[in-house]
Structures are given as structure tokens and as C-alpha cells.
């Protein structure tokens, strides 16, 4: 433990130069209040010493703060354990920010006292980058499997480029979700933009057909290359021969429209 006034003053001055926010709380006092905050904390939150000294640091929380994370933090403090959480907190101005908080338990043997030291960092920018990255990944995933609604119950799945196993699994997941969400009865898979024609792709189409059928929908394949068409004609596997095909998306749509007209007549 630091015993001299000089060393204590030096320590606190050093903490004030730290960019991170630092809090020290005393759990021996009622409601585990703040007994020290460094300059970094004041600058980060906009609060001043008279606002927070003697207060529990929950004043930083708001309606958007994840209460599960708060509970995890409280449970760790109750057990005198260290903990790291990321909380959505609020500055004195009301502005929200993401707070990466690490709380460590400190026991001073000479005084037989417990303290908690909280080190806080504003990670709002990092969270924004993370959100932007997630949005980009979702957009890429959407482009990898774009489901285009045509009219009630009918949608087109235009496939472009190479269809590898990873992409096919994604197509399978998204397609089945869209069947449920949009109550689709017909999926038109257009292969005119596919660049890899192989037995692997043919097997995938059979799997896609079977999964879609189990969901109560029908798969129609258009834009099939001559290579794939010849593979189907030459194979003796009935599963492949049972694939329903058409010349183009427009042809299928026109046929479905005519069927609907006949039902109305």
C-alpha cells in the first residue's frame, strides 16, 4: 500500500493524465458509492466531482442499458470478483455512449477493507464501426441470395457467379426463411448468371427442390445452361429428371398469370 502523501498525490496526478475514466468505490459504505474519480472520467461523462462523489455509479444507466449486463456486473461485485462489461450509458448532457467497463476488486490487508476500481473507455466509435460492418455483411449476404417477390406467393431467386457449398448453404437458409415469412408457393431459381456448371451444382438443385417442397412450395428452374441440361438428359437418376424447368423467368410468370386467370373465370 502507498503510505506517503507525496506518493498518493503523484498517483492521483498520474491517473488524471490517463485518458480512460477511473472510479474507485467503497463497498463498506451504504450503496457502494464513488469515493474517487479521475479527470478522464469527468471529461468522458461531463460530470463534476460534486455531482458524483458519494453516489452509486448507476446514474450513468438509462432505459437502453442492457440489464442483463448490469446484473452480471452487480453479481460480480457482490462476490468480490472482477468483471468486464460493455454498457450503453449516458453523459450529464443526456448524450448516450458505449462504455467498456472493467471492474476489479481490491483488498487492502493493512486496513482490512475492500474497494472496487472501475476503468472505463468510451467505445462508441468502435461500436459504430461494428454496426456498419454488420450492415455491410448483411447486405453482401442479401446480394448473395436475393429473393425478389414478383406477386403474391411467387418470388424469383436469381443466382449469379459461382455457387460453392458455403453459398449454397446460405441460399438454402434464406430461401426457407423467405418461404415462411412471405408465404411463398413458387420459387423461380434463375441460373442464367451462374458461372460454374457441375455435378455438384446439379445435386444442390435437387436438395433445394426437396427442401422447398417440404416447406410446401414448388421450385422451377430457368436459365439452365446447355451443360446442365445435357447432364440431366443423360443421367438415369430420377431425382434429377424430376427437376421442373422452364426456358425463362418471363415464361414461368406468364404461365402462372394465365393459370390465375383461369381460376378466376
Amino acid at each position: 500500500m502507498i503510505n506517503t502523501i507525496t506518493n498518493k498525490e503523484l498517483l492521483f496526478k498520474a491517473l488524471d493524465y490517463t485518458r480512460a475514466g477511473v472510479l474507485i468505490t467503497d463497498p463498506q459504505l451504504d450503496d457502494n458509492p464513488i469515493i474517487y474519480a479521475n479527470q478522464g472520467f469527468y471529461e468522458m461523462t461531463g460530470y463534476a466531482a460534486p455531482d458524483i462523489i458519494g453516489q452509486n455509479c448507476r446514474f450513468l444507466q438509462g432505459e437502453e442499458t442492457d440489464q442483463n449486463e448490469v446484473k452480471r456486473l452487480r453479481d460480480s461485485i457482490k462476490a468480490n470478483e472482477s468483471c468486464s462489461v460493455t454498457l450503453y450509458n449516458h453523459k450529464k448532457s443526456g448524450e448516450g455512449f458505449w462504455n467498456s467497463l472493467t471492474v476489479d476488486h481490491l483488498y487492502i490487508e493493512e486496513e482490512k477493507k475492500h474497494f472496487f476500481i472501475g476503468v472505463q473507455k468510451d467505445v462508441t466509435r468502435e461500436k459504430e464501426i461494428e454496426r456498419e460492418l454488420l450492415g455491410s455483411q448483411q447486405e453482401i449476404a442479401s446480394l448473395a441470395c436475393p429473393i425478389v417477390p414478383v406477386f403474391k406467393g411467387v418470388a424469383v431467386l436469381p443466382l449469379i457467379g459461382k455457387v460453392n457449398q458455403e453459398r449454397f448453404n446460405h441460399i438454402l437458409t434464406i430461401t426457407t426463411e423467405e418461404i415462411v415469412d412471405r408465404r411463398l408457393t413458387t420459387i423461380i431459381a434463375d441460373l442464367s448468371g451462374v458461372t460454374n456448371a457441375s455435378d455438384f451444382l446439379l445435386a444442390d438443385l435437387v436438395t433445394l427442390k426437396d427442401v422447398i417442397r417440404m416447406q410446401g412450395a414448388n421450385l422451377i428452374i430457368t436459365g439452365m445452361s446447355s451443360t446442365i441440361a445435357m447432364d440431366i438428359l443423360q443421367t438415369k437418376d430420377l431425382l434429377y429428371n424430376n427437376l421442373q424447368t422452364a426456358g425463362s423467368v418471363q415464361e414461368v410468370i406468364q404461365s402462372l398469370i394465365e393459370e390465375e386467370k383461369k381460376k378466376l373465370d
Side-chain angles (χ1 to χ4, degrees):
M1 180 182 175
I2 299 173
N3 294 313
T4 69
I5 297 297
T6 301
N7 284 341
K8 285 182 179 179
E9 290 176 349
L10 178 61
L11 173 61
F12 289 137
K13 284 184 179 181
L15 287 175
D16 280 337
Y17 277 96
T18 302
R19 291 185 178 182
V22 179
L23 293 178
I24 299 176
T25 66
D26 185 348
Q28 280 81 206
L29 299 177
D30 185 41
D31 205 23
N32 190 22
I34 298 168
I35 59 172
Y36 167 81
N38 75 334
Q39 188 61 32
F41 176 83
Y42 296 134
E43 292 176 357
M44 181 188 304
T45 64
Y47 285 98
D51 299 321
I52 68 165
I53 298 301
Q55 303 293 323
N56 184 285
C57 57
R58 71 173 65 90
F59 61 83
L60 292 170
Q61 300 172 24
E63 292 181 1
E64 298 173 76
T65 305
D66 188 338
Q67 292 305 306
N68 290 325
E69 287 288 271
V70 172
K71 182 179 184 302
R72 190 160 71 87
L73 177 61
R74 288 174 179 168
D75 290 346
S76 296
I77 291 174
K78 186 176 181 180
N80 288 335
E81 296 175 347
S82 298
C83 182
S84 293
V85 294
T86 300
L87 301 173
Y88 190 76
N89 285 162
H90 293 84
K91 302 180 182 182
K92 185 176 182 179
S93 64
E95 178 186 354
F97 72 102
W98 284 100
N99 183 6
S100 176
L101 169 65
T102 297
V103 175
D104 289 309
H105 171 250
L106 171 66
Y107 179 69
I108 299 179
E109 180 68 32
E110 293 87 344
E111 298 184 11
K112 306 295 183 184
K113 292 189 67 175
H114 298 269
F115 296 93
F116 286 98
I117 301 176
V119 179
Q120 308 178 62
K121 181 183 178 183
D122 187 338
V123 292
T124 304
R125 181 53 186 157
E126 288 85 343
K127 278 286 186 178
E128 289 174 351
I129 293 172
E130 180 182 317
R131 185 171 61 250
E132 290 170 1
L133 177 59
L134 178 60
S136 297
Q137 291 173 335
Q138 291 173 339
E139 183 178 358
I140 291 171
S142 175
L143 292 173
C145 180
I147 303 290
V148 183
V150 179
F151 50 82
K152 185 178 179 181
V154 180
V156 177
L157 171 59
L159 298 178
I160 301 172
K162 292 185 178 181
V163 181
N164 56 24
Q165 190 62 60
E166 182 180 358
R167 186 179 176 196
F168 173 72
N169 291 338
H170 177 69
I171 289 170
L172 208 59
T173 300
I174 296 298
T175 302
T176 52
E177 289 175 353
E178 289 291 298
I179 288 172
V180 175
D181 293 343
R182 299 180 184 272
R183 299 182 181 179
L184 299 176
T185 56
T186 301
I187 301 288
I188 306 169
D190 184 62
L191 309 184
S192 57
V194 173
T195 57
N196 61 320
S198 63
D199 293 339
F200 175 76
L201 177 59
L202 195 55
D204 282 346
L205 293 174
V206 173
T207 301
L208 182 61
K209 178 204 68 174
D210 291 341
V211 172
I212 287 176
R213 180 180 294 173
M214 286 189 291
Q215 295 289 108
N218 184 40
L219 174 67
I220 302 174
I221 300 170
T222 65
M224 186 176 291
S225 69
S226 58
T227 303
I228 298 178
M230 287 300 296
D231 286 343
I232 292 177
L233 289 173
Q234 292 174 5
T235 184
K236 295 180 180 180
D237 195 327
L238 292 177
L239 290 175
Y240 293 166
N241 289 318
N242 285 335
L243 287 171
Q244 185 176 352
T245 64
S248 67
V249 173
Q250 292 79 3
E251 179 183 320
V252 176
I253 292 174
Q254 185 61 41
S255 176
L256 292 172
I257 290 174
E258 291 175 359
E259 288 179 11
E260 286 298 316
K261 287 182 178 179
K262 288 179 181 180
K263 291 179 183 179
L264 295 174
D265 291 341

